[in-house]
Structures are given as structure tokens and as C-alpha cells.
Amino acid sequence: MSTKDTLIRAYMAGAILALAAAFAVTVAVNTGQFLIGALLFPVGFCTLYLLGFDLLTGVFTLCPLALLDKRPGVTVGGILRNWGLVFIGNFGGAFTVAVFMAIIFTTGFSEAPNAIGQKIGIIGEARTVGYAEHGFAGMLTLFVRAVMCNWMVSTGVVAAMMSTSVSGKVIAMWMPILVFFYLGFEHSIVNMFLFPSGLLLGGNFTIMDYLIWNEIPTVIGNLVGGVTFVGGMIYATHYKTSPKRNAGVTPSAKAPAE
């Protein structure tokens, strides 16, 4: 795609997913049930993919397969260009929603954050300085959560291809996205909303905390999870399917032809 189209589609994807995250946190705070928020969060993911928008987590999985399959015109430079543009677009969309929601949660920054804004600030602290307190163990946990996240998210991206109907695509996407969100895995684009929001709403962490103890390791973990557990595995067995085994059956053991 052109630079313009890539940026627009990535911007809208980041914005819609951020709105879904704000929605899910709002539901969880108002009901006191995080499961209900997790059940409803996939509405954003389904919407953005049905509209043809792009998340970094999705292109992390799909683009390397085109290179692996030697598709015409696909280069490492082209893939890196795509990833860079999608990252910028996703961040722009998520940050826009972060600012808008911070205005809403504080009534135009004229008062302290409401209960939802306070919850977002706590999330930002727990998932930055909370990891940092554990040193290497915290970083390892963060990375594994990021790997597991895109294992589920990219499964949703690929699963949507199984159906040609809107309802079928939605059902296929809903299940793995629900799993990732409820289990608290680390999604680089959702975090592009949560952590800037937390900083705007008075969260007790810094931009460097966010980058070093969340965003950068999360991006790397999302890449690893998407390429290995989804893209690589599906390519290896569904596209490059090995010959079927004989299972020890000899010609004499076969049923006679009628």
C-alpha cells in the first residue's frame, strides 16, 4: 500500500482499539467484574479488522510469510517500512484517544480523574514499575506475556480468514481476543493507549518507565509470538504440508479392490 493508505489504516486501527480498551476498563470499573469488560473488549478488534485497518501485531505475523514464500516484490526493507509506518499510525491513533479520554475523565483537566481515570493510572504503574521491581524476572514475565498476547491476537487475525461472512469472522476473532485480554497479556497497541493515558491522568511512572519496562519489550515479544506460534506454525503445516505417512500399511494388508 501507499504510505498514505498505510498510515490512515494504522491510525484508525490504533484509535478503535484504544476506544475498545477505554470501553472495557469503564465496564470493568462500573460493574466490578473484569470478565464482563474482557467479554466486550473484542468489539473493537472485530470492528477494525472488518473495516480493513491494520494493527502492528497483525502485520508482524503476515508480512514475514510473504517474504518466506518469495512473493514478488517483497523485501526485508519493504517489511520494515510497513512495520515502521504501522507503528507510527497505531501510536498516533491510540494517543489521540488517550488525550480525548483524559479530557473526559477529568472534565477538561479541571478536576481530579474520576474512578475510571484513576484505574488507568494504577494499571500504568503496575505494568511498568511493577515489573521493574522484580528486575530480570519482571522483564521475563513482561516478554512472555507479550509473546502469548500475539499468539492469541494473530490467531484471531488468521481465524477470520476461515469465513466469508461477517458473523463467522466475528466469532472466529472474538474467542482468542477474549482470552488475551482476560489473562492480562501485553499488547503493544493497547498499551499505546493505557500508558500515555496513565501519564496524563497522574500515574506514578515516567515516559522512560513506559518505554523500557513495557512498550519496547512488548513490541519485541509481540513480534516473536506472531512470527513463531502463528505465522511460522501455520505456514509449516498448512502451506508446506509434508507427505502423509504410510503408517506401516503394506500392499497385502490393503482391502481388495471391488
Side-chain angles (χ1 to χ4, degrees):
M1 292 187 295
S2 69
T3 298
K4 180 205 74 173
D5 290 334
T6 304
L7 286 172
I8 290 174
R9 296 184 190 196
Y11 180 91
M12 291 304 299
I16 291 173
L17 197 69
L19 280 168
F23 171 57
V25 173
T26 300
V27 170
V29 170
N30 288 343
T31 63
Q33 296 293 328
F34 182 70
L35 177 59
I36 298 177
L39 281 167
L40 297 176
F41 170 76
V43 67
F45 182 86
C46 295
T47 299
L48 72 90
Y49 265 102
L50 290 174
L51 290 171
F53 299 146
D54 288 322
L55 287 174
L56 186 63
T57 43
V59 297
F60 270 168
T61 300
L62 299 178
C63 288
L65 295 183
L67 182 68
L68 186 63
D69 201 45
K70 298 182 173 63
R71 296 298 175 93
V74 179
T75 63
V76 173
I79 292 175
L80 294 176
R81 168 189 171 276
N82 175 265
W83 289 351
L85 291 173
V86 173
F87 180 94
I88 293 169
N90 285 168
F91 185 84
F95 186 75
T96 299
V97 173
V99 173
F100 288 172
M101 295 308 299
I103 291 172
I104 292 171
F105 294 149
T106 61
T107 313
F109 298 107
S110 65
E111 57 187 28
N114 61 15
I116 302 163
Q118 293 173 22
K119 178 63 176 179
I120 290 175
I122 293 172
I123 292 173
E125 292 175 25
R127 289 163 67 172
T128 51
V129 293
Y131 288 130
E133 290 174 355
H134 295 279
F136 174 78
M139 184 63 74
L140 177 62
T141 302
L142 167 60
F143 179 76
V144 170
R145 281 183 169 177
V147 170
M148 296 291 286
C149 172
N150 209 21
W151 187 347
M152 290 294 95
V153 172
S154 290
T155 296
V157 172
V158 175
M161 300 176 186
M162 297 188 300
S163 175
T164 57
S165 70
V166 171
S167 58
K169 288 179 180 291
V170 168
I171 292 170
M173 289 187 283
W174 206 281
M175 296 181 290
I177 302 307
L178 163 61
V179 171
F180 118 68
F181 197 82
Y182 187 73
L183 290 178
F185 295 157
E186 297 286 352
H187 191 283
S188 54
I189 316 308
V190 171
N191 293 350
M192 289 176 184
F193 161 74
L194 288 175
F195 294 90
S197 291
L199 289 169
L200 290 168
L201 295 167
N204 189 25
F205 62 100
T206 66
I207 293 175
M208 291 306 296
D209 289 331
Y210 161 55
L211 293 175
I212 296 174
W213 286 99
N214 193 283
E215 191 63 41
I216 294 173
T218 298
V219 167
I220 297 171
N222 287 170
L223 172 60
V224 172
V227 170
T228 55
F229 292 108
V230 183
M233 296 297 184
I234 289 177
Y235 182 84
T237 188
H238 285 302
Y239 193 80
K240 295 290 186 180
T241 305
S242 300
K244 294 186 181 297
R245 293 178 63 247
N246 196 336
V249 177
T250 62
S252 62
K254 294 180 181 178
E258 296 180 359

